[in-house]
Amino acid sequence: MLERPHLYWTPCATHCVDLMLEDIGKLPMIKNAIKKAIYMNGYIYNHVAVVNMMRRFTNQRNLHRPAVTRFATSFITLAQYHKQKNNLRKMVTSEEWIASKWQKDAGGRKMTSIILQDTFWRNVLYALKLVGPLVKVLRMVDGDKKPAMGYIYEATDRAKEAIAKSFGHKEERYKEAFEIIDKRWDCQLHRPLHAAGYFLNPEIYYDNPEGVSCQEVEKGLYESIQRLVRDEATQDKIMVELDAYKNATGLFGNAMTIRHRKMKSPADWWSCYGSSSPNLKSFAIKVLSLTCSATGCERNWSVFQHLHTKKRNRLA
């Protein structure tokens, strides 16, 4: 980076959020819930008869659901268990289960005791309250619907607000999880580039201009302009054009422009309606079109590994 001072280095957002989930998953209550859910998953899906019985009680619903990352999969599986709590309890207390050989098996008895434990379900609910909003952030940054650069800054704040609200703002319940989130956020995703994307996203900015125009966000915007735009004359033009964006004057105040703030992706919106501020438009599109995650590339590489393995190359 010393050789290229006009560029930013940012880590993969999907990987960063996944590390948050991994660290939260190490909290004792959550670790205990995941461990028991993994055990039950293994026991149920290793016995075809138990799988069929489970599906009859859950209306053909599965308990295991793959997700973007391994840790997201664990928490989404916990969510499935929570949804099927009553059906699973009906299964292990039914005459069919009691009469089956699984009730007499040591593994089956262990699974039954877990399903009937109130502490297990309390731990599952606690885990879902902590990580549910973060899984939504993970889906957003890994999605293909719209570039996440203009949304990730706000998404993390909203996730924390949702977690606090789910616990009735009792800080002792989520304090440790917040420390984990802040630790990852501050060292990996708290970058001027994300602040600039947040400020230049019309969907967010015009809904709450006073909240977006805070010192931290504006500082990130100005640092990004100085770093990505090397010509000082162009920097000055961008700063002048920024006033038109803030005050929604010129094309920014057009009725159709206002209507499309939430209908178009941020980069497309600037491409369509930023002509009256050409220098700011070019900068905004550059920032808002950036990719936050490397998972798309990783998927391509994983497919490539199936086609070109060491063994196959040696045979060739």
Side-chain angles (χ1 to χ4, degrees):
M1 291 308 298
L2 292 175
E3 297 176 4
R4 297 174 176 83
H6 61 290
L7 296 178
Y8 271 112
W9 174 88
T10 60
C12 172
T14 301
H15 181 63
C16 178
V17 178
D18 186 50
L19 290 175
M20 291 179 190
L21 294 177
E22 181 181 357
D23 292 342
I24 291 172
K26 293 174 183 176
L27 297 176
M29 290 172 65
I30 298 177
K31 185 177 180 180
N32 182 269
I34 292 174
K35 184 178 178 181
K36 288 179 177 178
I38 289 172
Y39 170 79
M40 290 193 290
N41 241 30
Y43 186 84
I44 291 171
Y45 285 97
N46 280 335
H47 301 91
V48 176
V50 180
V51 173
N52 291 334
M53 188 189 301
M54 178 270 295
R55 286 176 177 163
R56 284 197 296 275
F57 279 90
T58 61
N59 297 319
Q60 303 304 313
R61 301 280 183 178
N62 279 315
L63 297 174
H64 181 77
R65 283 184 60 189
V68 179
T69 66
R70 180 161 59 95
F71 295 102
T73 295
S74 298
F75 291 115
I76 290 174
T77 299
L78 282 184
Q80 289 298 102
Y81 271 89
H82 183 66
K83 286 179 183 177
Q84 301 300 334
K85 173 184 173 181
N86 292 331
N87 291 329
L88 290 172
R89 285 188 159 185
K90 287 177 184 176
M91 183 184 82
V92 298
T93 54
S94 67
E95 292 182 5
E96 184 181 359
W97 177 264
I98 293 170
S100 70
K101 66 178 181 179
W102 314 112
Q103 170 63 15
K104 302 176 183 67
D105 180 61
R109 289 200 304 272
K110 182 179 178 181
M111 187 183 81
T112 301
S113 69
I114 293 171
I115 290 174
L116 296 177
Q117 277 177 14
D118 288 333
T119 53
F120 168 70
W121 296 109
R122 280 199 297 269
N123 290 345
V124 168
L125 184 60
Y126 177 70
L128 294 178
K129 284 183 176 181
L130 278 185
V131 304
L134 287 177
V135 171
K136 289 181 181 178
V137 175
L138 185 65
R139 282 177 169 153
M140 184 202 72
V141 297
D142 187 64
D144 298 323
K145 291 183 179 179
K146 56 186 178 183
M149 181 57 76
Y151 296 93
I152 189 170
Y153 198 96
E154 185 202 33
T156 308
D157 285 340
R158 283 198 174 183
K160 291 173 70 176
E161 288 173 9
I163 292 169
K165 186 178 179 181
S166 68
F167 286 105
H169 297 279
K170 295 178 181 177
E171 191 177 348
E172 66 276 5
R173 300 294 306 279
Y174 55 83
K175 182 180 179 182
E176 197 171 357
F178 272 23
E179 289 173 356
I180 290 169
I181 294 170
D182 290 340
K183 183 180 178 183
R184 292 289 180 187
W185 169 254
D186 290 339
C187 72
Q188 291 185 299
L189 283 180
H190 197 188
R191 295 283 189 272
L193 205 57
H194 298 113
Y198 176 54
F199 190 96
L200 294 169
N201 184 343
E203 180 180 345
I204 295 172
Y205 180 81
Y206 289 113
D207 272 355
N208 183 23
E210 292 181 2
V212 175
S213 300
C214 64
Q215 181 180 345
E216 183 180 291
V217 175
E218 288 193 340
K219 182 183 177 184
L221 172 68
Y222 301 151
E223 285 183 13
S224 297
I225 292 171
Q226 287 178 308
R227 185 155 192 164
L228 297 178
V229 181
R230 305 301 291 170
D231 180 50
E232 291 185 358
T234 306
Q235 290 177 10
D236 294 339
K237 290 177 183 177
I238 289 174
M239 294 307 297
V240 172
E241 293 169 359
L242 203 57
D243 290 334
Y245 171 67
K246 289 179 179 179
N247 300 320
T249 57
L251 273 179
F252 296 124
N254 183 279
M256 187 162 57
T257 307
I258 294 170
R259 194 168 65 250
H260 286 173
R261 286 171 184 170
K262 296 183 179 181
M263 295 172 65
K264 288 181 174 289
S265 70
D268 287 343
W269 185 86
W270 277 98
S271 179
C272 291
Y273 306 117
S275 301
S276 58
S277 304
N279 299 287
L280 180 59
K281 171 186 173 181
S282 176
F283 172 75
I285 292 173
K286 181 188 292 185
V287 171
L288 293 167
S289 300
L290 291 172
T291 303
C292 285
S293 299
T295 48
C297 301
E298 289 171 3
R299 289 192 194 99
N300 289 336
W301 296 333
S302 63
V303 172
F304 182 81
Q305 286 171 358
H306 287 298
L307 300 174
H308 285 274
T309 62
K310 290 182 179 180
K311 183 176 181 181
R312 182 166 291 171
N313 287 343
R314 282 199 299 271
L315 289 173

